[in-house]
């Protein structure tokens, strides 16, 4: 996945959700954002647990960095889901 493709995914999410706020986009996509202590060097991750979507963010990050990591995780997840859908269609 190239940077251009990730940018396009981000632009589609903004258009679809009507906001640039990554936390609001996560809410609209049905993902709960949780702020976790003791994350070590990891900044964030995404998991599905019993059909529930979660974005885990390191609570020790600055608010600005939390927004960046949240947006990054969403784009990676959407890119992965898009590539899976394409491979299933083939």
């Amino acid at each position: 996945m190239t940077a251009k493709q990730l940018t396009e995914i981000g632009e589609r999410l903004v258009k679809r959700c009507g906001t640039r706020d990554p936390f609001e986009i996560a809410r609209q996509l049905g993902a709960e954002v949780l702020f976790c202590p003791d994350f070590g060097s990891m900044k964030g991750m995404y998991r599905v647990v019993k059909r529930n979507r979660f974005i885990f963010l390191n609570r020790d990050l600055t608010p600005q960095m939390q927004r960046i990591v949240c947006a990054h995780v969403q784009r990676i997840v959407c890119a992965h889901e898009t590539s899976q859908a394409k491979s299933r269609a083939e």
Side-chain angles (χ1 to χ4, degrees):
M1 181 88 15
T2 67
K4 182 180 177 183
Q5 290 169 318
L6 286 174
T7 300
E8 290 170 357
I9 289 169
E11 290 170 356
R12 283 196 306 265
L13 282 173
V14 167
K15 188 174 183 179
R16 174 178 162 189
C17 296
T19 182
R20 290 193 167 279
D21 179 5
F23 299 108
E24 175 60 21
I25 292 171
R27 187 191 68 72
Q28 288 188 34
L29 296 177
E32 184 174 349
V33 179
L34 302 172
F35 298 92
C36 303
D38 302 323
F39 236 44
S41 63
M42 196 162 39
K43 294 178 181 159
M45 68 180 205
Y46 174 82
R47 287 283 183 261
V48 177
V49 179
K50 295 185 178 182
R51 296 186 184 178
N52 297 298
R53 297 173 173 205
F54 296 96
I55 295 174
F56 298 96
L57 298 176
N58 186 332
R59 78 168 183 199
D60 296 328
L61 298 174
T62 65
Q64 182 180 12
M65 195 63 177
Q66 288 174 345
R67 290 174 57 86
I68 291 168
V69 173
C70 186
H72 174 76
V73 170
Q74 289 170 9
R75 288 180 183 166
I76 296 299
V77 169
C78 288
H80 181 70
E81 290 174 351
T82 300
S83 67
Q84 280 186 332
K86 286 181 182 178
S87 66
R88 276 188 244 134
E90 293 175 351

